[in-house]
PDB file of all heavy atoms in Angstrom:
ATOM      1  N   SER A  68      55.714 112.833 100.011  1.00  0.00           N
ATOM      2  CA  SER A  68      56.475 112.511  98.735  1.00  0.00           C
ATOM      3  C   SER A  68      57.507 113.605  98.351  1.00  0.00           C
ATOM      4  O   SER A  68      58.009 113.536  97.207  1.00  0.00           O
ATOM      5  CB  SER A  68      55.528 112.280  97.599  1.00  0.00           C
ATOM      6  OG  SER A  68      54.759 111.106  97.859  1.00  0.00           O
ATOM      7  N   ASN A  69      57.815 114.487  99.235  1.00  0.00           N
ATOM      8  CA  ASN A  69      58.842 115.553  98.954  1.00  0.00           C
ATOM      9  C   ASN A  69      58.506 116.328  97.709  1.00  0.00           C
ATOM     10  O   ASN A  69      59.466 116.836  97.014  1.00  0.00           O
ATOM     11  CB  ASN A  69      60.229 114.892  98.819  1.00  0.00           C
ATOM     12  CG  ASN A  69      60.810 114.547 100.158  1.00  0.00           C
ATOM     13  OD1 ASN A  69      60.169 114.804 101.182  1.00  0.00           O
ATOM     14  ND2 ASN A  69      61.926 113.888 100.209  1.00  0.00           N
ATOM     15  N   PRO A 118      63.036 111.721  81.500  1.00  0.00           N
ATOM     16  CA  PRO A 118      61.740 111.816  82.146  1.00  0.00           C
ATOM     17  C   PRO A 118      61.891 111.657  83.645  1.00  0.00           C
ATOM     18  O   PRO A 118      61.484 110.615  84.226  1.00  0.00           O
ATOM     19  CB  PRO A 118      60.935 110.723  81.536  1.00  0.00           C
ATOM     20  CG  PRO A 118      61.835 109.940  80.668  1.00  0.00           C
ATOM     21  CD  PRO A 118      63.199 110.501  80.773  1.00  0.00           C
ATOM     22  N   GLY A 119      62.508 112.649  84.342  1.00  0.00           N
ATOM     23  CA  GLY A 119      62.756 112.543  85.737  1.00  0.00           C
ATOM     24  C   GLY A 119      64.220 112.093  86.019  1.00  0.00           C
ATOM     25  O   GLY A 119      64.739 111.252  85.262  1.00  0.00           O
ATOM     26  N   ALA A 120      64.838 112.592  87.097  1.00  0.00           N
ATOM     27  CA  ALA A 120      66.145 112.196  87.406  1.00  0.00           C
ATOM     28  C   ALA A 120      66.160 110.648  87.626  1.00  0.00           C
ATOM     29  O   ALA A 120      67.236 110.019  87.435  1.00  0.00           O
ATOM     30  CB  ALA A 120      66.635 112.919  88.694  1.00  0.00           C
ATOM     31  N   ASP A 121      65.066 110.133  88.078  1.00  0.00           N
ATOM     32  CA  ASP A 121      64.932 108.685  88.192  1.00  0.00           C
ATOM     33  C   ASP A 121      65.338 107.940  86.933  1.00  0.00           C
ATOM     34  O   ASP A 121      66.012 106.872  86.949  1.00  0.00           O
ATOM     35  CB  ASP A 121      63.484 108.337  88.485  1.00  0.00           C
ATOM     36  CG  ASP A 121      63.291 107.204  89.441  1.00  0.00           C
ATOM     37  OD1 ASP A 121      64.315 106.865  90.053  1.00  0.00           O
ATOM     38  OD2 ASP A 121      62.190 106.755  89.524  1.00  0.00           O
ATOM     39  N   MET A 122      64.964 108.469  85.785  1.00  0.00           N
ATOM     40  CA  MET A 122      65.357 107.805  84.533  1.00  0.00           C
ATOM     41  C   MET A 122      66.810 108.025  84.207  1.00  0.00           C
ATOM     42  O   MET A 122      67.463 107.222  83.551  1.00  0.00           O
ATOM     43  CB  MET A 122      64.420 108.274  83.344  1.00  0.00           C
ATOM     44  CG  MET A 122      63.140 107.452  83.246  1.00  0.00           C
ATOM     45  SD  MET A 122      63.336 105.693  83.290  1.00  0.00           S
ATOM     46  CE  MET A 122      63.943 105.356  81.695  1.00  0.00           C
ATOM     47  N   ILE A 124      69.061 107.897  86.397  1.00  0.00           N
ATOM     48  CA  ILE A 124      69.643 106.835  87.169  1.00  0.00           C
ATOM     49  C   ILE A 124      69.534 105.481  86.385  1.00  0.00           C
ATOM     50  O   ILE A 124      70.485 104.742  86.346  1.00  0.00           O
ATOM     51  CB  ILE A 124      68.961 106.774  88.562  1.00  0.00           C
ATOM     52  CG1 ILE A 124      69.258 108.088  89.322  1.00  0.00           C
ATOM     53  CG2 ILE A 124      69.464 105.536  89.327  1.00  0.00           C
ATOM     54  CD1 ILE A 124      68.420 108.276  90.580  1.00  0.00           C
ATOM     55  N   PHE A 145      68.450 107.294  98.329  1.00  0.00           N
ATOM     56  CA  PHE A 145      67.378 107.236  97.332  1.00  0.00           C
ATOM     57  C   PHE A 145      67.324 105.772  96.840  1.00  0.00           C
ATOM     58  O   PHE A 145      68.325 105.187  96.349  1.00  0.00           O
ATOM     59  CB  PHE A 145      67.560 108.237  96.240  1.00  0.00           C
ATOM     60  CG  PHE A 145      66.366 108.250  95.302  1.00  0.00           C
ATOM     61  CD1 PHE A 145      65.110 108.368  95.759  1.00  0.00           C
ATOM     62  CD2 PHE A 145      66.590 108.245  93.929  1.00  0.00           C
ATOM     63  CE1 PHE A 145      63.961 108.467  94.895  1.00  0.00           C
ATOM     64  CE2 PHE A 145      65.488 108.347  93.013  1.00  0.00           C
ATOM     65  CZ  PHE A 145      64.231 108.436  93.543  1.00  0.00           C
ATOM     66  N   TYR A 148      68.678 103.877  93.405  1.00  0.00           N
ATOM     67  CA  TYR A 148      70.067 103.333  93.157  1.00  0.00           C
ATOM     68  C   TYR A 148      70.105 101.852  93.269  1.00  0.00           C
ATOM     69  O   TYR A 148      70.786 101.147  92.519  1.00  0.00           O
ATOM     70  CB  TYR A 148      71.100 103.970  94.074  1.00  0.00           C
ATOM     71  CG  TYR A 148      71.013 105.422  94.345  1.00  0.00           C
ATOM     72  CD1 TYR A 148      71.364 105.988  95.544  1.00  0.00           C
ATOM     73  CD2 TYR A 148      70.666 106.317  93.250  1.00  0.00           C
ATOM     74  CE1 TYR A 148      71.286 107.416  95.728  1.00  0.00           C
ATOM     75  CE2 TYR A 148      70.560 107.684  93.513  1.00  0.00           C
ATOM     76  CZ  TYR A 148      70.865 108.216  94.756  1.00  0.00           C
ATOM     77  OH  TYR A 148      70.788 109.574  94.957  1.00  0.00           O
ATOM     78  N   CYS A 189      74.241 111.098  97.405  1.00  0.00           N
ATOM     79  CA  CYS A 189      72.958 111.771  97.338  1.00  0.00           C
ATOM     80  C   CYS A 189      73.007 112.975  98.195  1.00  0.00           C
ATOM     81  O   CYS A 189      73.133 112.877  99.434  1.00  0.00           O
ATOM     82  CB  CYS A 189      71.887 110.739  97.882  1.00  0.00           C
ATOM     83  SG  CYS A 189      70.226 111.371  97.621  1.00  0.00           S
ATOM     84  N   PRO A 191      71.546 116.910  98.909  1.00  0.00           N
ATOM     85  CA  PRO A 191      71.369 116.338 100.189  1.00  0.00           C
ATOM     86  C   PRO A 191      70.707 114.961 100.036  1.00  0.00           C
ATOM     87  O   PRO A 191      70.099 114.647  99.043  1.00  0.00           O
ATOM     88  CB  PRO A 191      70.419 117.301 100.930  1.00  0.00           C
ATOM     89  CG  PRO A 191      69.704 117.977  99.820  1.00  0.00           C
ATOM     90  CD  PRO A 191      70.661 118.045  98.703  1.00  0.00           C
ATOM     91  N   ASN A 193      68.328 111.962 100.422  1.00  0.00           N
ATOM     92  CA  ASN A 193      66.977 111.516 100.633  1.00  0.00           C
ATOM     93  C   ASN A 193      67.027 110.104 101.200  1.00  0.00           C
ATOM     94  O   ASN A 193      67.499 109.245 100.447  1.00  0.00           O
ATOM     95  CB  ASN A 193      66.129 111.601  99.409  1.00  0.00           C
ATOM     96  CG  ASN A 193      64.747 111.059  99.578  1.00  0.00           C
ATOM     97  OD1 ASN A 193      64.198 110.899 100.669  1.00  0.00           O
ATOM     98  ND2 ASN A 193      64.072 110.826  98.420  1.00  0.00           N
ATOM     99  N   ASP A 220      73.896 113.185  93.221  1.00  0.00           N
ATOM    100  CA  ASP A 220      72.477 113.392  92.951  1.00  0.00           C
ATOM    101  C   ASP A 220      72.090 114.654  93.710  1.00  0.00           C
ATOM    102  O   ASP A 220      71.986 114.691  94.932  1.00  0.00           O
ATOM    103  CB  ASP A 220      71.712 112.158  93.484  1.00  0.00           C
ATOM    104  CG  ASP A 220      70.237 112.252  93.220  1.00  0.00           C
ATOM    105  OD1 ASP A 220      69.714 113.401  92.973  1.00  0.00           O
ATOM    106  OD2 ASP A 220      69.580 111.154  93.308  1.00  0.00           O
ATOM    107  N   ALA A 222      69.046 116.336  93.386  1.00  0.00           N
ATOM    108  CA  ALA A 222      67.652 116.558  93.111  1.00  0.00           C
ATOM    109  C   ALA A 222      67.027 117.694  93.908  1.00  0.00           C
ATOM    110  O   ALA A 222      66.112 118.340  93.453  1.00  0.00           O
ATOM    111  CB  ALA A 222      66.831 115.230  93.362  1.00  0.00           C
ATOM    112  N   TYR A 223      67.544 117.907  95.098  1.00  0.00           N
ATOM    113  CA  TYR A 223      66.991 118.908  95.982  1.00  0.00           C
ATOM    114  C   TYR A 223      67.831 120.206  96.107  1.00  0.00           C
ATOM    115  O   TYR A 223      67.662 120.980  97.027  1.00  0.00           O
ATOM    116  CB  TYR A 223      66.839 118.322  97.381  1.00  0.00           C
ATOM    117  CG  TYR A 223      65.861 117.161  97.466  1.00  0.00           C
ATOM    118  CD1 TYR A 223      66.357 115.846  97.295  1.00  0.00           C
ATOM    119  CD2 TYR A 223      64.489 117.340  97.572  1.00  0.00           C
ATOM    120  CE1 TYR A 223      65.455 114.773  97.281  1.00  0.00           C
ATOM    121  CE2 TYR A 223      63.613 116.259  97.592  1.00  0.00           C
ATOM    122  CZ  TYR A 223      64.119 114.982  97.430  1.00  0.00           C
ATOM    123  OH  TYR A 223      63.231 113.939  97.463  1.00  0.00           O
ATOM    124  N   ARG A 251      70.043 116.421  88.371  1.00  0.00           N
ATOM    125  CA  ARG A 251      69.130 117.476  88.897  1.00  0.00           C
ATOM    126  C   ARG A 251      67.703 117.064  88.547  1.00  0.00           C
ATOM    127  O   ARG A 251      67.477 116.338  87.527  1.00  0.00           O
ATOM    128  CB  ARG A 251      69.459 118.840  88.266  1.00  0.00           C
ATOM    129  CG  ARG A 251      70.852 119.374  88.650  1.00  0.00           C
ATOM    130  CD  ARG A 251      70.780 120.192  89.927  1.00  0.00           C
ATOM    131  NE  ARG A 251      72.127 120.639  90.388  1.00  0.00           N
ATOM    132  CZ  ARG A 251      72.538 121.927  90.249  1.00  0.00           C
ATOM    133  NH1 ARG A 251      71.788 122.851  89.661  1.00  0.00           N
ATOM    134  NH2 ARG A 251      73.728 122.262  90.667  1.00  0.00           N
ATOM    135  N   SER A 252      66.716 117.606  89.193  1.00  0.00           N
ATOM    136  CA  SER A 252      65.327 117.282  88.956  1.00  0.00           C
ATOM    137  C   SER A 252      64.500 118.566  88.808  1.00  0.00           C
ATOM    138  O   SER A 252      64.701 119.565  89.520  1.00  0.00           O
ATOM    139  CB  SER A 252      64.799 116.476  90.091  1.00  0.00           C
ATOM    140  OG  SER A 252      63.420 116.235  89.979  1.00  0.00           O
ATOM    141  N   PHE A 253      63.498 118.524  87.954  1.00  0.00           N
ATOM    142  CA  PHE A 253      62.504 119.617  87.935  1.00  0.00           C
ATOM    143  C   PHE A 253      61.230 119.236  88.705  1.00  0.00           C
ATOM    144  O   PHE A 253      60.213 119.866  88.634  1.00  0.00           O
ATOM    145  CB  PHE A 253      62.152 119.950  86.464  1.00  0.00           C
ATOM    146  CG  PHE A 253      63.250 120.780  85.795  1.00  0.00           C
ATOM    147  CD1 PHE A 253      64.276 120.146  85.171  1.00  0.00           C
ATOM    148  CD2 PHE A 253      63.231 122.120  85.988  1.00  0.00           C
ATOM    149  CE1 PHE A 253      65.313 120.904  84.662  1.00  0.00           C
ATOM    150  CE2 PHE A 253      64.233 122.905  85.379  1.00  0.00           C
ATOM    151  CZ  PHE A 253      65.322 122.314  84.740  1.00  0.00           C
ATOM    152  N   SER A 254      61.246 118.089  89.452  1.00  0.00           N
ATOM    153  CA  SER A 254      60.104 117.619  90.181  1.00  0.00           C
ATOM    154  C   SER A 254      59.869 118.354  91.480  1.00  0.00           C
ATOM    155  O   SER A 254      58.741 118.331  92.005  1.00  0.00           O
ATOM    156  CB  SER A 254      60.258 116.117  90.530  1.00  0.00           C
ATOM    157  OG  SER A 254      60.344 115.338  89.383  1.00  0.00           O
ATOM    158  N   LYS A 255      60.881 118.972  92.033  1.00  0.00           N
ATOM    159  CA  LYS A 255      60.815 119.477  93.407  1.00  0.00           C
ATOM    160  C   LYS A 255      60.501 120.931  93.401  1.00  0.00           C
ATOM    161  O   LYS A 255      59.317 121.358  93.316  1.00  0.00           O
ATOM    162  CB  LYS A 255      62.051 119.129  94.186  1.00  0.00           C
ATOM    163  CG  LYS A 255      62.476 117.619  94.001  1.00  0.00           C
ATOM    164  CD  LYS A 255      61.545 116.720  94.638  1.00  0.00           C
ATOM    165  CE  LYS A 255      61.930 115.280  94.487  1.00  0.00           C
ATOM    166  NZ  LYS A 255      60.899 114.350  94.980  1.00  0.00           N
ATOM    167  N   ARG A 263      57.282 114.919  84.716  1.00  0.00           N
ATOM    168  CA  ARG A 263      58.472 114.021  84.656  1.00  0.00           C
ATOM    169  C   ARG A 263      59.611 114.680  83.829  1.00  0.00           C
ATOM    170  O   ARG A 263      59.674 114.457  82.576  1.00  0.00           O
ATOM    171  CB  ARG A 263      58.114 112.658  84.046  1.00  0.00           C
ATOM    172  CG  ARG A 263      56.929 111.921  84.657  1.00  0.00           C
ATOM    173  CD  ARG A 263      57.043 111.771  86.173  1.00  0.00           C
ATOM    174  NE  ARG A 263      58.273 110.996  86.540  1.00  0.00           N
ATOM    175  CZ  ARG A 263      59.220 111.468  87.432  1.00  0.00           C
ATOM    176  NH1 ARG A 263      59.048 112.666  88.008  1.00  0.00           N
ATOM    177  NH2 ARG A 263      60.237 110.733  87.734  1.00  0.00           N
ATOM    178  N   VAL A 264      60.437 115.398  84.440  1.00  0.00           N
ATOM    179  CA  VAL A 264      61.595 115.924  83.791  1.00  0.00           C
ATOM    180  C   VAL A 264      62.778 116.096  84.742  1.00  0.00           C
ATOM    181  O   VAL A 264      62.594 116.746  85.830  1.00  0.00           O
ATOM    182  CB  VAL A 264      61.347 117.119  82.844  1.00  0.00           C
ATOM    183  CG1 VAL A 264      60.674 118.227  83.607  1.00  0.00           C
ATOM    184  CG2 VAL A 264      62.601 117.719  82.236  1.00  0.00           C
ATOM    185  N   GLY A 265      63.894 115.559  84.372  1.00  0.00           N
ATOM    186  CA  GLY A 265      65.119 115.735  85.136  1.00  0.00           C
ATOM    187  C   GLY A 265      66.245 115.734  84.140  1.00  0.00           C
ATOM    188  O   GLY A 265      66.006 115.748  82.936  1.00  0.00           O
TER     189      GLY A 265
HETATM  190  C1  PLP B 418      67.441 111.975  95.716  1.00  0.00           C
HETATM  191  C2  PLP B 418      66.495 111.867  94.595  1.00  0.00           C
HETATM  192  N1  PLP B 418      66.968 111.701  93.380  1.00  0.00           N
HETATM  193  C3  PLP B 418      66.205 111.549  92.341  1.00  0.00           C
HETATM  194  C4  PLP B 418      64.858 111.649  92.487  1.00  0.00           C
HETATM  195  C5  PLP B 418      63.933 111.407  91.263  1.00  0.00           C
HETATM  196  O1  PLP B 418      63.388 112.618  90.884  1.00  0.00           O
HETATM  197  P1  PLP B 418      62.541 112.740  89.555  1.00  0.00           P
HETATM  198  O2  PLP B 418      61.164 113.007  90.038  1.00  0.00           O
HETATM  199  O3  PLP B 418      63.173 113.801  88.762  1.00  0.00           O
HETATM  200  O4  PLP B 418      62.603 111.387  88.852  1.00  0.00           O
HETATM  201  C6  PLP B 418      64.212 111.787  93.731  1.00  0.00           C
HETATM  202  C7  PLP B 418      62.816 111.783  93.926  1.00  0.00           C
HETATM  203  O5  PLP B 418      62.276 111.803  94.958  1.00  0.00           O
HETATM  204  C8  PLP B 418      65.135 111.881  94.861  1.00  0.00           C
HETATM  205  O6  PLP B 418      64.607 112.017  96.085  1.00  0.00           O
END
Side-chain angles (χ1 to χ4, degrees):
S68 294
N69 286 355
D121 215 14
M122 275 310 285
I124 296 166
F145 188 47
Y148 312 148
C189 189
N193 176 15
D220 184 341
Y223 297 92
R251 296 270 177 105
S252 173
F253 283 89
S254 295
K255 311 294 177 184
R263 310 303 302 125
V264 52

